[in-house]
Amino acid sequence: MKYILVANWKNHPNSLDEASDILSQLSKKASLYQNTKVSTYIAPPVSYLELVSKKTKRFAKLAVQDISSKTQGVHTGEVTIDILKSFGVRLAILGHSERRALGETDEVVRDKVKTVLKAGITPLVCVGEGEHDPEGNYFEIIRQQIIGTLSGLKKADVEKLMIAYEPVWAIGTKSKGAISREELSQVVIFIKKVLTENFSRQTADKVAILYGGSVDGGNAKALLHKTGVRGFLVGRASLQAKSFSQIAEAIIK
Ligand code: PGA
């Protein structure tokens, strides 16, 4: 079983030169990112795909942060799945909370999941509550997102995807803003339960659950320890080679 490390660069960095610098830094520790324990994916802005693909061959696979919901026809401004596939994209982050905040519904995410699966690319479906209320109502929100996004899919298809639990309140804060280990393991158990109820135990066992939200070198080890988490989706810390390598180190050591 390999851990999965996904860098979500969002709309950063601001230039091709800066992107090239980050990749050169990362390549100095290539063995941390691709080995028997971990597989690393980098999801840059689409305009950097070619650069990332060229510079990471030894240590990372290519990912995207979203796909177009369009497939056939003419669509000015859209980057469709066939184009992404031709660059060698292997994983697609779908339903990120920053996309959902722009109006993306569970239904739209579900269609994108199907498109991605059809193209033979791995969907990484993001779920997560906006607020972490002490009464625990957030569990219901997570359940609804999972059902809304995956309903109607065949078990065999669900078994090919991964889920990233990304509580919105924990995204983009500093290290201490990440979720606690106890709460994280409860959510992982809950997601497995929802998958078991709606698909099967076997399906639930096959779906890797990642965590995202202020992961960095300081908290990665603790967030992995007995939480059932199979890896991380990392924003801010993935743009600094030092912190990203610390996360990879925490996973493999
Ligand atoms: P963060 O972002 O690591 O900066 O919190 C994670 C994400 O939004 O995927």
Side-chain angles (χ1 to χ4, degrees), residues 87-161:
F87 276 88
V89 166
R90 307 275 292 276
L91 176 140
I93 301 169
L94 298 175
H96 189 280
S97 57
E98 286 153 18
R99 304 294 321 160
R100 292 181 188 265
L102 295 172
E104 190 158 294
T105 60
D106 286 342
E107 245 174 8
V108 172
V109 180
R110 188 166 68 222
D111 283 345
K112 290 183 177 182
V113 170
K114 288 181 187 162
T115 303
V116 165
L117 283 167
K118 212 167 151 198
I121 293 169
T122 303
L124 174 58
V125 178
C126 301
V127 297
E129 75 283 2
E131 276 175 44
H132 204 63
D133 61 310
E135 294 80 32
N137 292 319
Y138 59 90
F139 283 106
E140 198 44 42
I141 293 167
I142 298 167
R143 180 203 301 278
Q144 281 166 12
Q145 283 177 341
I146 295 172
I147 295 173
T149 311
L150 304 185
S151 65
L153 290 183
K154 296 194 194 97
K155 285 181 202 165
D157 280 339
V158 176
E159 289 167 13
K160 289 180 194 143
L161 56 81

Side-chain angles (χ1 to χ4, degrees), residues 8 10 96 98 166 170-173 212-215 233-237:
N8 176 11
K10 307 194 179 187
H96 189 280
E98 286 153 18
E166 289 213 314
I171 293 176
T173 70
S214 300
V215 176
L233 176 54
V234 185
R236 187 177 40 91

